[in-house]
Amino acid sequence: MRRPLVAGNWKMHGSRAGVEALASAVRDGLPAQPAAEVLVIPAFVHIPDVARVLDGSAVLLGAQNVADASEGARTGEVSAGMLREFGCSHALVGHSERRTLYRETDELVAARAQAALDAGLTPVVCLGETLEQRDSGKTAEVVLSQLDAVMNRVGVAGLAKSVLAYEPVWAIGTGRSASPEQAQEVHALLRGHVRGQHAAVAEELRILYGGSVKPTSADALFAMDDIDGGLVGGASLQADDFLAICQAAR
Ligand code: PEP
């Protein structure tokens, strides 16, 4: 049995006061023992404030990226060890906004995942195709090559300590979610690919869906066999919406 995980990616939103209020509302709005693990992912500078709010609660804390090295001359980067010191347990790697806007390559994403693992942080590895790639029948090729880049670097043992997030680029921030069937097809493909390397790791691996998840769509998405929760952007900025999505993951 895979315990679902619902993660809220707050991106570059919020003020210190706003983010503290949001974190408090998430903390206070969850049942004592939620069925799903819940993770919030603020901007780097908000991590200490959110860590204080979440201290002693079951809500997990993550970062939106992590450096590809443990320390050194990496201006503008934040290492996994630094994030751990501030209470983070997870870090996103390979979010499509990083891949597209900041030209992060498969190799860099894989190195970031490895650095996270080396410091005991769980990488949430984001994968997904653009609309053009989907329309030209390249979805499988794209997501599997993104997965292989990470698997080749961290090995199946590293993958066992990671989380995958399938996020079709055309669904992120557009209000147009993949249908449950479209998402399930890709999730099953990803899990099947891992199964080819190691059956037990494939069964345990959590694969989240991300892309315009809303309270109204979460139930149907999370009911699919290979969807183990969600990575939520826009809807995670409203505590009530995010809590409703968390409740849908059972
Ligand atoms: C995301 O940023 O990972 C995301 C899925 O955003 P949204 O839910 O807004 O599409």
Side-chain angles (χ1 to χ4, degrees):
M1 277 294 283
R2 298 181 293 270
R3 187 173 176 204
L5 170 66
V6 179
N9 174 14
W10 295 348
K11 308 197 188 190
M12 198 175 70
H13 291 296
S15 60
R16 291 183 74 177
V19 160
E20 278 189 34
L22 179 56
S24 305
V26 170
R27 178 198 63 197
D28 297 343
L30 284 172
Q33 295 191 322
E37 278 190 319
V38 175
L39 167 67
V40 296
I41 310 177
F44 284 127
V45 291
H46 290 148
I47 285 173
D49 289 334
V50 175
R52 263 190 303 278
V53 171
L54 299 182
D55 190 31
S57 83
V59 183
L60 302 167
L61 180 60
Q64 295 175 16
N65 209 350
V66 60
D68 59 326
S70 58
E71 66 171 351
R74 290 284 198 286
T75 303
E77 294 283 313
V78 178
S79 77
M82 293 168 182
L83 295 170
R84 289 264 299 176
E85 213 178 354
F86 279 90
C88 288
S89 53
H90 292 68
L92 298 181
V93 298
H95 190 281
S96 68
E97 288 152 17
R98 302 296 319 172
R99 292 180 189 265
T100 309
L101 299 174
Y102 300 96
R103 306 273 189 276
E104 294 201 8
T105 61
D106 283 351
E107 291 66 37
L108 177 57
V109 171
R112 291 187 187 283
Q114 182 66 65
L117 288 165
D118 289 345
L121 214 54
T122 302
V124 179
V125 180
C126 304
L127 320 162
E129 81 288 1
T130 63
L131 189 57
E132 196 187 351
Q133 290 164 336
R134 172 163 282 264
D135 287 346
S136 53
K138 294 206 171 109
T139 298
E141 184 190 322
V142 169
V143 298
L144 292 181
S145 74
Q146 290 171 338
L147 173 58
D148 276 341
V150 172
M151 236 185 349
N152 291 341
R153 177 78 190 238
V154 308
V156 81
L159 201 66
K161 295 187 188 135
S162 307
V163 171
L164 296 185
Y166 169 55
E167 297 208 300
V169 179
W170 47 272
I172 297 179
T174 60
R176 177 185 165 194
S177 172
S179 69
E181 293 74 21
Q182 281 174 318
Q184 166 61 26
E185 189 182 1
V186 179
H187 283 232
L189 175 80
L190 293 168
R191 196 180 307 287
H193 192 68
V194 177
R195 196 174 288 121
Q197 303 268 322
H198 199 295
V201 169
E203 291 325 306
E204 294 290 315
L205 181 66
R206 289 187 290 185
I207 309 179
L208 314 184
Y209 167 76
S212 297
V213 178
K214 305 282 179 236
T216 46
S217 60
D219 264 326
L221 285 161
F222 298 166
M224 304 310 282
D225 281 351
D226 289 293
I227 299 183
D228 307 310
L231 177 54
V232 186
S236 71
L237 297 172
Q238 301 296 330
D240 287 350
D241 285 353
F242 185 62
L243 289 165
I245 293 169
C246 293
Q247 292 283 31
R250 290 181 284 272

